[in-house]
Amino acid sequence: MRQIISDEAWRELLAPDGTAPASKFQRDFVRAAVARATGKRPSLMHLTLGQAARVLERAGQSPAKLTTGGRGVPGLEKAGTYVQWTLFGMLVLIVTVSSPAGFLLAGLMFLLRKRRRDRQAWEDATWVSRPVIGGQPIAGPGSLIAEPAHQSVPHHLAVEGQTPVSPVIRPVSSSQLYRVSLGRPEWPNVEVVGEHAYSPGIKAALRASKAPTALRSDSEASGVQVELVAEPDNPYDVNAISVRWRNQVLGYLSREDAIRYAQPVRRIIASGLAAATTARIWAYDGGDRLQARVTVALPEPELIAPLNQPPAGVGTLVPWGSAIQVLKEEKHFDILCNHVPPEGVGLLLVSLHKVARTLKNGTERPFVEVRLDGERVGELSNVTSAHLLPLL
């Protein structure tokens, strides 16, 4: 029976551990072991010895096999590499001389290498770039807004068309970050400015999204995972918020939008989390200059971070969707009024529970009850409850 290793499990297996990089033969052995166990062969081009041991244990193999058969011995592996390439070169030479099939073989090798590079880019984005941990709640609305200790402050950044003085680099933290979803990916509604100054990051994001990047042609990618980084020490704007893809700046929110979103974004960062959303990237490469437009999906600032903590116990967060009307909430204003923010609008986390109501004829009709911090604040209609009860 084939194993199924989830993305969350891969993120745990490939968590940084500071061990030495695994050799080529060790990586190939681990890839083969995973392929036998799961039926799928990952790329794992950046595998370390500690990660390799964890992956082998998950695949049902002994980590001791990493060093058997000469694996990990530089001299033996170097000789083995020479032998492999010599045999492959002889095969290509024989096939090329005998028939045109040699060109097909060379093309096949090129496609296989490209496929592995694309697979590795996907693994970096899904298994390495987006680690998730629990137990790190978002700070309350009255919490102090401050940069976390592990957040190094970038300097000499440019906004709105100004050329950056020096490269923008934010070192990756040693702690795991949880990427907070700030909106619905199908609606990139907020414009980014200054894209022309960050063409290398934009081109890299388009290539990783498999968008064509040919000269004198348009490129477009949607649903690109990006991160918002507040920069209170930015010399051009204390409210500056950069939009980054894999730590590469794609642009900045405008000054007006940065003022609106500074407080909720800083609040998320101060809680040790990363404020992340999706973006749409369009670009036209004119050769001497890249024309680009980046838009990100963001709700109104007051709807970015919830005002309360998640409910206690085991649960699943229902993804963003269409609004659902809650009934009989007027009977619970004594509870709801305690959570209304000064702005009048806010985001609350509520829980849905299956409850049964006994009718006059003695039958029971199940419905969905809405609770806020464990207290009832309303219920869903019979029709909506019928749709959601199977989910509960």
Side-chain angles (χ1 to χ4, degrees), residues 31-375:
R31 295 176 64 216
V34 173
R36 289 192 296 270
T38 66
K40 298 181 180 180
R41 184 182 293 270
S43 180
L44 305 179
M45 295 175 67
H46 311 314
L47 198 67
T48 66
L49 291 176
Q51 295 167 350
R54 291 196 296 267
V55 173
L56 281 180
E57 288 181 342
R58 182 60 183 263
Q61 298 284 342
S62 172
K65 293 184 178 181
L66 282 172
T67 56
T68 59
R71 299 188 194 97
V73 180
L76 292 178
E77 290 206 355
K78 187 175 182 180
T81 301
Y82 283 149
V83 172
Q84 282 186 344
W85 282 107
T86 300
L87 293 177
F88 176 73
M90 294 176 60
L91 177 62
V92 171
L93 180 62
I94 294 173
V95 175
T96 303
V97 172
S98 60
S99 70
F103 295 100
L104 297 178
L105 180 61
L108 178 61
M109 291 298 300
F110 173 79
L111 292 177
L112 290 176
R113 290 180 65 85
K114 181 178 183 301
R115 179 182 178 185
R116 185 173 181 187
R117 287 195 299 268
D118 293 341
R119 172 70 188 187
Q120 184 61 51
W122 181 89
E123 291 177 8
D124 290 340
T126 307
W127 295 348
V128 178
S129 302
R130 302 176 56 197
V132 176
I133 60 169
Q136 290 184 309
I138 295 176
S143 299
L144 176 65
I145 300 302
E147 294 300 307
H150 64 265
Q151 176 91 7
S152 64
V153 181
H155 58 283
H156 299 304
L157 308 187
V159 296
E160 299 202 39
Q162 298 181 0
T163 304
V165 178
S166 62
V168 179
I169 299 176
R170 183 171 68 95
V172 179
S173 166
S174 59
S175 62
Q176 306 289 331
L177 299 180
Y178 177 76
R179 301 176 65 85
V180 180
S181 177
L182 300 183
R184 298 161 68 175
E186 62 269 24
W187 189 35
N189 56 320
V190 176
E191 295 283 345
V192 174
V193 299
E195 298 98 321
H196 71 277
Y198 304 101
S199 56
I202 292 176
K203 290 180 179 180
L206 289 171
R207 286 194 297 268
S209 301
K210 299 183 179 179
T213 55
L215 194 64
R216 305 286 194 278
S217 65
D218 293 48
S219 300
E220 183 177 349
S222 300
V224 180
Q225 298 292 325
V226 295
E227 180 181 339
L228 303 182
V229 178
E231 301 171 0
D233 285 357
N234 189 300
Y236 300 104
D237 183 5
V238 295
N239 295 313
I241 297 177
S242 60
V243 178
R244 307 190 181 202
W245 173 84
R246 299 186 188 175
N247 208 32
Q248 300 186 59
V249 176
L250 306 181
Y252 282 77
L253 298 188
S254 66
R255 291 183 183 272
E256 295 76 15
D257 287 331
I259 293 174
R260 298 175 60 226
Y261 288 98
Q263 197 277 339
V265 170
R266 290 186 186 183
R267 176 185 162 205
I268 291 172
I269 296 175
S271 300
L273 311 177
T277 183
T278 57
R280 173 187 175 271
I281 303 176
W282 172 89
Y284 176 80
D285 192 352
D288 57 341
R289 179 182 174 89
L290 181 73
Q291 302 177 31
R293 182 190 180 196
V294 179
T295 52
V296 294
L298 291 176
E300 291 301 309
E302 61 270 14
L303 299 180
I304 284 184
L307 299 172
N308 62 328
Q309 302 295 345
V314 179
T316 299
L317 183 64
V318 179
W320 284 83
S322 302
I324 297 177
Q325 178 65 50
V326 178
L327 306 179
K328 300 182 180 181
E329 73 273 22
E330 67 277 1
K331 298 182 179 180
H332 308 283
F333 282 166
D334 57 329
I335 299 175
L336 293 171
C337 288
N338 296 327
H339 294 81
V340 179
E343 299 82 5
V345 179
L347 182 66
L348 288 173
L349 294 174
V350 298
S351 54
L352 305 179
H353 303 265
K354 179 181 178 180
V355 181
R357 178 183 292 115
T358 303
L359 304 180
K360 292 182 179 180
N361 59 7
T363 60
E364 291 189 345
R365 173 177 293 176
F367 66 97
V368 176
E369 183 178 85
V370 182
R371 299 177 187 174
L372 173 59
D373 296 336
E375 298 184 89

